[in-house]
Amino acid sequence: MKPFTTFIFLCTLCLPLFPQEIAARPRNVTKTIKQVCAHTAHKDLCVSTLAADPSSQQANQTGLALVALRVASTNASDITEHIKVSVTDMSLEPAVQQGLSDCMDNYVDAAEQLDDSVAALLAGAYHDLSTWVNVAIADANSCESSIKGLKTGMSKKNVLFQQLCENALAITKAVAGK
Ligand SMILES: *[C@@H]1O[C@H](CO)[C@@H](O)[C@H](O)[C@H]1NC(C)=O
Ligand SMILES: *[C@@H]1O[C@H](CO)[C@@H](O)[C@H](O)[C@H]1NC(C)=O
Ligand SMILES: *[C@@H]1O[C@H](CO)[C@@H](O)[C@H](O)[C@H]1NC(C)=O
């Protein structure tokens, strides 16, 4: 095949992939994202979650701290919704159902703590913020205790959620110079 023909042929192969490629393409990892994520313990998670949020593109460091808290809060709400659906499965053992129901209470609280933390950051109340984000982390620990030894699929979610909270806390601390 001539180079040009080959090119056209390859392009035809790629074509069906394109729309997904564009949808899945991460947004720009800005210099500010790199700066704030350098303070976190879970850097890859930090960069991917912040870059995925459209409002991160123009955000300064405080703006990114807000995004990080909102990402964690949204995750708590998503997890709550996920549990709400799973817990209705009548075939679950009572112990699992009880564990999941406890976890749901924990995540409802965690989402509230994180929403309050957003308000605290805007008010410059870093001490409150740190207290409340740590309560959210403790909520995930309580959930983990409630489902100990049970098959629920919650453990991975607890770990990831705590990492989101730890990242948000590290970013706000760096922003506040604490
Ligand atoms: C990413 O950066 C490029 C070049 O700076 C810019 O043109 C583009 O709009 C940015 N993309 C997003 C999603 O902001
Ligand atoms: C940084 O972003 C925050 C939140 O979006 C905004 O309130 C603040 O004025 C910005 N600070 C600077 C120095 O631009
Ligand atoms: C957040 O929560 C959902 C729902 O449980 C989970 O599947 C997802 O991977 C979590 N992580 C992020 C970064 O949103």
Side-chain angles (χ1 to χ4, degrees):
M1 273 193 262
K2 284 182 199 165
F4 185 69
T5 322
T6 311
F7 175 69
I8 297 287
F9 175 63
L10 287 176
C11 280
T12 319
L13 284 183
C14 297
L15 220 53
L17 294 174
F18 261 129
Q20 273 161 319
E21 283 287 296
I22 288 169
R25 184 192 292 163
R27 290 170 188 266
N28 295 332
V29 175
T30 64
K31 208 173 132 198
T32 319
I33 292 178
K34 285 188 196 141
Q35 281 168 349
V36 299
C37 288
H39 299 289
T40 64
H42 317 285
K43 289 192 182 58
D44 291 348
L45 180 66
C46 177
V47 169
S48 63
T49 49
L50 291 186
D53 192 306
S55 52
S56 294
Q57 294 295 312
Q58 310 296 332
N60 62 24
Q61 298 204 358
T62 307
L64 290 179
L66 285 171
V67 173
L69 286 171
R70 267 199 279 108
V71 167
S73 166
T74 304
N75 202 247
S77 305
D78 286 352
I79 293 172
T80 306
E81 287 308 310
H82 167 85
I83 301 174
K84 213 179 266 177
V85 174
S86 337
V87 85
T88 59
D89 180 351
M90 286 316 194
S91 68
L92 291 178
E93 289 171 47
V96 172
Q97 215 151 23
Q98 184 57 53
L100 286 176
S101 151
D102 290 346
C103 284
M104 187 154 77
D105 293 343
N106 295 142
Y107 275 99
V108 166
D109 182 67
E112 280 172 15
Q113 300 290 337
L114 290 164
D115 289 344
D116 289 348
S117 302
V118 168
L121 177 59
L122 292 172
Y126 295 105
H127 181 77
D128 288 344
L129 182 154
S130 153
T131 304
W132 295 336
V133 175
N134 279 311
V135 172
I137 293 174
D139 281 329
N141 277 329
S142 302
C143 164
E144 192 60 36
S145 312
S146 309
I147 52 137
K148 205 166 180 186
L150 302 171
K151 274 213 180 87
T152 61
M154 278 306 297
S155 291
K156 255 173 86 174
K157 293 192 200 324
N158 286 337
V159 169
L160 191 59
F161 171 73
Q162 286 179 325
Q163 291 180 346
L164 291 173
C165 289
E166 286 162 12
N167 280 350
L169 198 52
I171 295 172
T172 49
K173 274 195 178 133
V175 166
K178 306 263 151 133

